[in-house]
Amino acid sequence: MAGTREPRAEAGGQSIVFRVNGRAVSVSSSPVQRLSRVLREELGLTGTKVGCDAGDCGACTVLLDGDPVCACLVAAGQAEGCEVTTVEGLADTNVGARLQQAFLTHGAAQCGACTPGMLVAATALLERNSAPHENEVMDAIGGVLCRCTGYRKIIAAILDAGVKDAGVTENDSAGGAAISPGAGAAVGKRLVRLDGKQKVDGSEIFGADETPASALAVRAIRSPCHRARFRLGDLSAFVRDHPGIEAVFTAKDVPGKNCYGVISKFADQPVFAEGEARHRGEAIAAVAGETAAIEALETADFPVSWEELPPLRDIDAALETGARLIHENRPGNILVRGRVVRGDVDKALDGADVVVEADYETGFVEHAYIEPEAGFARRIGDQIEIQACTQSPYMDRSDIAAILGIAAERVRIIPTAVGGGFGSKLDLSVQPFLAVAAWHLRKPVRMVYSRTESIVSTTKRHPARMRLRGGCSKEGKLVALDFAADFNTGAYSSWGPTVSARVPVHASGPYYVPHYRALTRAVHTNLVPAGAFRGFGVPQAAIAQEQLYDELADRIGMDRLEFRILNALDDHTPTVTGQVLGAGVGIRACLEALRPKWKAARREAAEFNSKAAGALRRGVGVAGMWYGCGNTSLPNPSTVRIGLKRSGRIALHQGAVDIGQGSNTIVTQICADALDAPIERFDLLSGDTSITPDCGKTSASRQTLVTGKAAQMAGEKLRSAILKLAGACDCASIHFGGGDDDSGVTVRDGGKSHVFALGDLPLDEHGYVITSEATFDPPTSPLDENGQGVPYAVFGFGAHMAEIEVDTELGTVRVLKVTAAHDVGRAINPTLIEGQIEGGVAQGLGMALMEEFFPGKGENLHDYLIPSAGDIPPVESILIEDPSPIGPFGAKGIGEQAVIPTAPAILNALHDAIGIRVRKIPATPDRVRAAILAAQKEKVNTRG
C-alpha cells in the first residue's frame, strides 16, 4: 500500500434555490454540477437513479417545471427558481399515485432500477393527456430504457392509469393482482410483488443509494489495451502530490490470494494484474480518497507506463498451433471441453434420407442492466462488511475471505436491491477493491462504476461458432445430430466451464434424437471475460439447432411446427444424456398450443405477401426450447429457515437474491401455503449472510425450484411442529391471529380448539418460539465420459412463435407479435411469470436483431443498442401447467427459459418471409440486405 494522507475538505459551491416535490430547498453546489448528483448526494433523493450519466438510459428522469428531463444532463444552476418533481413526490399527486398503483397491479416494476424514470415520464404524459393511445405511451417512455420487463406491462399500466382517469374501467389482460389471499390460497394468485411498493415510491436501496458517512471513494486504474505489459511508478509520490488521495492499492496489497473465480477449480482472475494485463479494462491498481479528488483524477496522471503487446482477439488465432498461451497451465488456450455422445452419429447420418449441414456464429452480447455495479465496505474489528449489488452473496463471501486471507465467517455480505443482473452480477466486480481498501484503511469506502467502466470490465454473453449436421427420415423423424461449438471465453474462466458443460446437454433441443454428438470448447482470448448471461450458452445453441430443424422440415416438405411436434420429447423417451424424465414433460403441449395460432398467422402472412406490391414481406417462425433448472450434475442446495415469533408473525429467512424475477414474492407464496398461513403474516429476511442460510446463487432458473422447495419443506415442518405442540393430528387446521393483540395461534382438531398465547412460551436459540429449517438439493447424477447421466432433476419447456415484417429494400426487420407457450409446472404467480416471459422476449429480440458488443468500441448505451419500448411487440403468454413431481407445488423455473426460443423464432420467420438465412447473428439491416443481394445474385447466376 502506498503512502496515506489526511483528507481535505471540498470547497463549497454557491447557493442554488429551487423547489423539490413541493418544498423549497437551498443547496450549496457548483452551478455546473449535475442535477442528478445534487438530488442524490445533497438532498438524499436516491429514488432518481443514475444509469449512464449521458442521457442514454433515462433512469434519472425528473420533471422540471412539469417537463420530463434527464437530470444527469441538467446543470444544477438550470434548476434555479424551478419546480423539480422526483419519484418520491409522485404519491402526492393524483396521476402519480394512480400510476404507482397501476405499476404494482400490472407487475410493471421488476428490478426497479428504471421504474422511477418510467413513472416520472408517464406522469408527464398523463398530466397533459389523460387517455393516451399505445403509440403515445411508447413515445413518452421511449427515452427510458428497461432491461427486465420487456415494456409491455409498463405500457399496460400507463394505459390503465390513463383509462381510469378518463372515467373508463378496463381489465388488464393479465388480470388484477391479488393483495392478500386467504391462508393456504397464495399459490396461483396474481399477488402484488411483496417488495413492489419501495420500487415504485423510490425508497428501494440499490448499490449506489446508501453509504456510511465520510466514506472514501475508490476508483480502479484499468488497462487501455487488450494486452499490455505495464510498470508502476512512484506511488508514494503520486499520493503526496495529489491532495485528497489517501492511498493506492496494487497486487502487493492483497492480504490473501490475488485470485478469485466463480468456480473455485478454475479460479484465475486477479484482483489486480501483475506485470501484464490480459484484457482491456483489467484493473492494475485502485486509488482511494475523498470523493472530489477521485472524481477529478485524470488517469493519465497515474504513474504507470504501458507497453502494448499483440493480443489474441479471436478463436482462430488462439487455437493456432504454437499460439502464445494466455494461461500457461491451459494447453492450446482451451479452458475446458464439453462432451455428450449417444449412439453412432456418423452411421446414422449416412443412412438418413435427408441431411442438412450449416455453420452459425454469434457475437458478444452486453448485459446492459440499468444499474451499474456499486457498493460500500467497512472493516469492523477483524471482520469485513460489504454491501453491494450481487446475485450470489455466499459465493462473494468465500472469494472475499480468500482475497483477505481470513475465515469466511469474518466476512458479511449484505446484498442491496439489484437493478438487473442476468448473470453478470454473479461475478465479483466492486467487492474485491472495496474489501482491500477498507481492510487496510480501516475506514468505510464506496465504489460506483460508471457505465463505461461497467461495460469495459464485466462479463458478456459468450460469442459462439457452431457447426451442425442433422438428419431425418422422409417421414420427418430426427435420426441424428452432430454439433460442434467453440465459445470465446475471454481472458479468464468466469462461467466458461458451465457454458461448455450445459450446451452439449441442450443442443439437441427438446426433441428425441437417437444418435447424437455434441462437442464444445471454451477458448481463451485477450478479450473481456465472457460469463453467465441468461441461458449459459443455450440461446446460442438454439439459434443454430432450431434453424437447422426448419431446414430439415423444408427439405422433406413438412410443416415446421408439425415437424417439432412429431419429434418432441415425452415422459418416456430418453434425452441425449439417456435420462428418462418421467412426469412433467410439457414440450408437446407447448407446441400444440401454438398450432391454431400458427395456422392463422401463416394464412395472414401469405395473404399479405400475395397482395404486397412494395418492399414489405411478412413471415412466421417457430422455435422450441428446454432448459435444466439448476447446476449441471452438481450439488445445488438451498436452505430456508422460518421462525414463529411471540407476536404471532412469521420470520422467513431465505437467502435467494431477488434481481427482479420475483423470488421474494414467489418463495413467500410457497412457504405460506405450505404452512397454511396468511401471507401478510410473513416478515421477509433475505440475502444477508449474517442472518439468512445459504440459498445458492440466483442463476440457472433455480430459485423457484430449489429455494421454493426448501421453503415448502420448512413451512410443512413448522406446521407439523405447531400441531405436535398442540397434540393434534395432521388433518387439524391452524389459525393465526386472534386475541387482544392478534398474536395468538389456534389449532382446531375436529371439535377441539387449542389456543397458544405465544408470549408465554420460551424462545429457542434463534429467538423464536418455534424454528424450522429445511434444505433441498435436486437429485442429479454425474455424467460419464460420454455425457450420459442425470444432469438436472427438472427441465422447463417452451415454444415461441414470431410474426415479423421485413423491408427488403432497407433490410430492417420489425417484430409484429410473439406468442410464447411455456410449461411452468405450476404458475405460482402468473403475473410475475408473464413478466419474465416478456422480458426474455425483449432480450431475445435484441440478440436476434441488434445487439453485438465489440470490445474497445461502443462502451456506452448510446452506441450499444438494446430494445426500447417501440421495438417490443405485443407478447401473448400461454402458461402450460404440467406439474413437476419434484418442484414446489409442481413448479419449474422460468427466468432463463423465455429468452432461448425468441431469437431462433425470429430468424426462422425471416427465412419464411424472404427465403434467406442470416447465419452470423445479429441480423442487422446491413447483414439482412447483404443476404438479400447475395440470394438475388445466386438466383441470376443459376438462371444464367
Side-chain angles (χ1 to χ4, degrees):
M1 180 176 67
T4 61
R5 66 182 309 283
E6 289 300 312
R8 178 179 293 180
E10 291 186 64
Q14 70 182 54
S15 179
I16 302 171
V17 179
F18 55 101
R19 295 179 63 82
V20 178
N21 299 328
R23 67 182 181 90
V25 298
S26 177
V27 297
S28 179
S29 179
S30 166
V32 298
Q33 181 62 268
R34 299 176 192 270
L35 178 60
S36 55
R37 172 68 178 271
V38 170
L39 292 171
R40 290 177 55 81
E41 302 293 334
E42 298 193 37
L43 298 177
L45 296 171
T46 57
T48 299
K49 305 306 176 191
V50 175
C52 67
D53 262 343
D56 295 324
C57 74
C60 66
T61 300
V62 299
L63 299 182
L64 187 65
D65 285 341
D67 292 326
V69 297
C70 286
C72 72
L73 298 183
V74 174
Q78 291 177 278
E80 177 80 40
C82 296
E83 176 73 37
V84 175
T85 304
T86 71
V87 66
E88 290 92 344
L90 295 185
D92 296 330
T93 69
N94 184 35
V95 168
R98 280 202 324 277
L99 274 167
Q100 288 172 328
Q101 185 56 52
F103 268 54
L104 292 175
T105 303
H106 287 255
Q110 287 189 18
C111 82
C114 76
T115 302
M118 288 289 184
L119 286 166
V120 170
T123 296
L125 170 66
L126 295 186
E127 289 283 7
R128 66 176 185 269
N129 181 0
S130 62
H133 297 294
E134 182 174 293
N135 286 341
E136 293 173 308
V137 171
M138 288 191 288
D139 286 344
I141 64 172
V144 185
L145 295 178
C146 174
R147 195 58 158 166
C148 295
T149 69
Y151 300 101
R152 298 310 303 184
K153 290 193 178 297
I154 294 174
I155 294 167
I158 296 169
L159 289 171
D160 191 29
V163 164
K164 288 176 181 175
D165 185 56
V168 181
T169 59
E170 180 181 275
N171 291 323
D172 174 18
S173 62
I179 301 296
S180 182
V187 168
K189 295 295 190 300
R190 294 182 179 274
L191 189 70
V192 165
R193 186 184 291 267
L194 297 182
D195 54 2
K197 185 178 182 300
Q198 54 264 43
K199 295 180 187 296
V200 301
D201 67 14
S203 62
E204 183 75 283
I205 301 298
F206 292 86
D209 291 344
E210 190 172 78
T211 190
S214 302
L216 299 175
V218 176
R219 181 176 176 185
I221 305 298
R222 300 184 181 276
S223 170
C225 310
H226 294 297
R227 179 181 172 228
R229 192 175 292 121
F230 65 91
R231 181 177 300 166
L232 296 170
D234 189 339
L235 300 182
S236 295
F238 170 78
V239 172
R240 288 195 305 270
D241 294 343
H242 287 77
I245 299 297
E246 288 233 0
V248 176
F249 303 97
T250 64
K252 67 181 178 61
D253 299 306
V254 176
K257 294 181 180 179
N258 186 31
C259 180
Y260 63 88
V262 289
I263 304 174
S264 57
K265 178 181 176 181
F266 298 95
D268 57 4
Q269 190 159 357
V271 178
F272 301 110
E274 300 182 64
E276 181 178 317
R278 291 184 172 98
H279 72 90
R280 173 176 164 82
E282 181 167 11
I284 64 161
V287 183
E290 297 170 9
T291 298
I294 294 298
E295 290 180 347
L297 177 65
E298 293 288 344
T299 55
D301 294 340
F302 188 79
V304 59
S305 59
W306 298 98
E307 178 190 353
E308 187 169 2
L309 301 172
L312 298 173
R313 298 193 59 175
D314 57 58
I315 290 171
D316 286 332
L319 292 176
E320 278 185 6
T321 301
R324 174 186 50 82
L325 296 183
I326 293 175
H327 296 275
E328 292 298 325
N329 62 337
R330 291 176 183 156
N333 285 316
I334 296 173
L335 167 64
V336 70
R337 300 172 188 262
R339 173 184 172 89
V340 173
V341 176
R342 186 171 180 81
D344 190 334
V345 171
D346 295 324
K347 182 177 179 181
L349 287 174
D350 287 342
D353 293 323
V354 175
V355 174
V356 171
E357 182 173 354
D359 294 344
Y360 296 90
E361 185 177 350
T362 67
F364 281 111
V365 182
E366 160 64 21
H367 293 77
Y369 27 71
I370 304 305
E371 178 207 24
E373 294 75 3
F376 72 81
R378 54 190 166 196
R379 181 172 176 175
I380 303 172
D382 65 351
Q383 301 185 36
I384 195 80
E385 178 179 289
I386 301 174
Q387 179 171 304
C389 53
T390 177
Q391 295 179 232
S392 49
Y394 272 86
M395 289 170 58
D396 289 5
R397 187 178 78 154
S398 296
D399 265 338
I400 293 301
I403 288 167
L404 294 182
I406 60 178
E409 292 72 25
R410 290 165 56 190
V411 178
R412 181 185 182 186
I413 303 294
I414 307 170
T416 61
V418 180
F422 317 115
S424 186
K425 288 175 183 174
L426 292 167
D427 293 72
L428 294 177
S429 57
V430 299
Q431 297 94 324
F433 310 124
L434 291 171
V436 170
W439 190 258
H440 284 293
L441 294 173
R442 296 179 179 268
K443 296 178 181 179
V445 294
R446 73 180 304 212
M447 189 174 194
V448 180
Y449 277 6
S450 68
R451 175 57 60 181
T452 295
E453 186 173 21
S454 176
I455 293 179
V456 164
S457 65
T458 62
T459 61
K460 309 287 175 271
R461 186 181 291 285
H462 281 78
R465 192 176 60 188
M466 299 166 283
R467 168 161 290 183
L468 291 80
R469 285 192 306 147
C472 68
S473 69
K474 60 185 178 183
E475 293 79 22
K477 280 284 191 177
L478 283 168
V479 171
L481 180 67
D482 194 3
F483 175 95
D486 287 328
F487 293 92
N488 187 338
T489 204
Y492 296 108
S493 63
S494 183
W495 292 97
T498 301
V499 169
S500 292
R502 185 176 279 268
V503 167
V505 174
H506 289 83
S508 63
Y511 313 104
Y512 175 55
V513 183
H515 301 276
Y516 179 77
R517 179 170 56 215
L519 307 177
T520 59
R521 298 183 294 187
V523 182
H524 280 300
T525 63
N526 285 117
L527 296 181
V528 62
F533 190 167
R534 208 170 190 174
F536 285 104
V538 179
Q540 295 96 302
I543 283 171
Q545 113 234 335
E546 289 295 322
Q547 290 195 80
L548 189 87
Y549 291 156
D550 254 25
E551 294 191 57
L552 284 171
D554 288 348
R555 287 280 298 274
I556 62 170
M558 188 173 185
D559 180 272
R560 299 159 191 161
L561 176 62
E562 297 301 329
F563 181 88
R564 289 170 169 82
I565 292 173
L566 176 66
N567 288 289
L569 288 169
D570 58 30
D571 296 359
H572 310 294
T573 51
T575 71
V576 291
T577 71
Q579 181 179 2
V580 177
L581 298 174
V585 181
I587 180 57
R588 182 168 279 115
C590 292
L591 292 165
E592 289 176 341
L594 294 180
R595 185 183 272 141
K597 300 176 183 296
W598 167 259
K599 291 179 178 178
R602 296 271 286 161
R603 285 194 303 268
E604 291 167 8
E607 182 180 356
F608 178 89
N609 291 338
S610 68
K611 298 177 180 178
L616 299 182
R617 295 293 182 273
R618 291 187 177 179
V620 187
V622 67
M625 62 73 55
W626 66 328
Y627 193 77
C629 300
N631 295 346
T632 308
S633 291
L634 291 171
N636 192 26
S638 281
T639 300
V640 169
R641 180 189 308 133
I642 55 177
L644 179 61
K645 301 180 180 180
R646 279 179 170 168
S647 64
R649 297 193 62 77
I650 302 151
L652 172 57
H653 296 253
Q654 64 92 9
V657 177
D658 194 323
I659 61 173
Q661 85 281 24
S663 61
N664 284 342
T665 304
I666 295 290
V667 171
T668 309
Q669 286 180 262
I670 291 168
C671 190
D673 277 15
L675 178 56
D676 201 16
I679 202 157
E680 66 266 18
R681 283 271 159 183
F682 281 79
D683 297 323
L684 182 61
L685 298 92
S686 60
D688 187 333
T689 58
S690 70
I691 59 174
T692 59
D694 188 1
C695 282
K697 62 190 186 299
T698 294
S699 71
S701 300
R702 62 176 297 280
Q703 293 297 12
T704 294
L705 172 69
V706 186
T707 299
K709 185 68 171 183
Q712 180 184 21
M713 294 163 61
E716 291 169 348
K717 285 179 69 174
L718 183 57
R719 184 178 188 278
S720 295
I722 294 171
L723 294 178
K724 183 178 179 181
L725 190 63
C729 70
D730 288 344
C731 62
S733 61
I734 303 174
H735 302 270
F736 294 84
D740 293 338
D741 59 0
D742 197 39
S743 65
V745 173
T746 302
V747 175
R748 293 176 183 152
D749 187 0
K752 300 178 181 178
S753 291
H754 188 100
V755 180
F756 294 98
L758 298 177
D760 299 332
L761 297 178
L763 301 179
D764 61 19
E765 69 273 21
H766 297 289
Y768 300 123
V769 174
I770 305 174
T771 301
S772 72
E773 187 169 297
T775 299
F776 177 66
D777 191 0
T780 63
S781 72
L783 301 182
D784 66 17
E785 67 276 7
N786 286 319
Q788 300 300 293
V790 179
Y792 311 102
V794 173
F795 285 80
F797 299 92
H800 287 189
M801 183 182 78
E803 302 169 57
I804 72 167
E805 185 173 88
V806 185
D807 186 319
T808 58
E809 290 297 326
L810 299 177
T812 55
V813 178
R814 183 166 69 98
V815 183
L816 305 174
K817 183 181 180 182
V818 172
T819 305
H822 281 273
D823 168 24
V824 298
R826 177 73 185 278
I828 302 296
N829 189 319
T831 299
L832 300 186
I833 291 173
E834 290 161 354
Q836 286 295 288
I837 291 171
E838 292 166 12
V841 165
Q843 289 189 349
L845 183 151
M847 185 179 181
L849 299 178
M850 64 179 71
E851 293 189 49
E852 186 171 14
F853 173 68
F854 298 94
K857 300 178 181 178
E859 293 157 344
N860 55 68
L861 292 179
H862 178 77
D863 296 313
Y864 184 85
L865 300 180
I866 67 172
S868 60
D871 296 310
I872 305 303
V875 179
E876 180 182 355
S877 297
I878 302 172
L879 304 186
I880 305 296
E881 296 184 284
D882 194 339
S884 161
I886 296 172
F889 297 101
K892 306 171 184 178
I894 188 60
E896 286 161 291
Q897 285 82 340
V899 75
I900 295 168
T902 302
I906 291 170
L907 296 167
N908 281 336
L910 177 60
H911 179 266
D912 183 61
I914 57 175
I916 65 165
R917 291 279 174 200
V918 178
R919 302 189 190 277
K920 186 171 183 179
I921 311 306
T924 50
D926 60 314
R927 288 175 179 165
V928 172
R929 183 63 183 154
I932 291 171
L933 293 175
Q936 291 173 347
K937 182 178 180 180
E938 182 179 351
K939 190 174 182 180
V940 169
N941 291 339
T942 301
R943 286 176 178 173

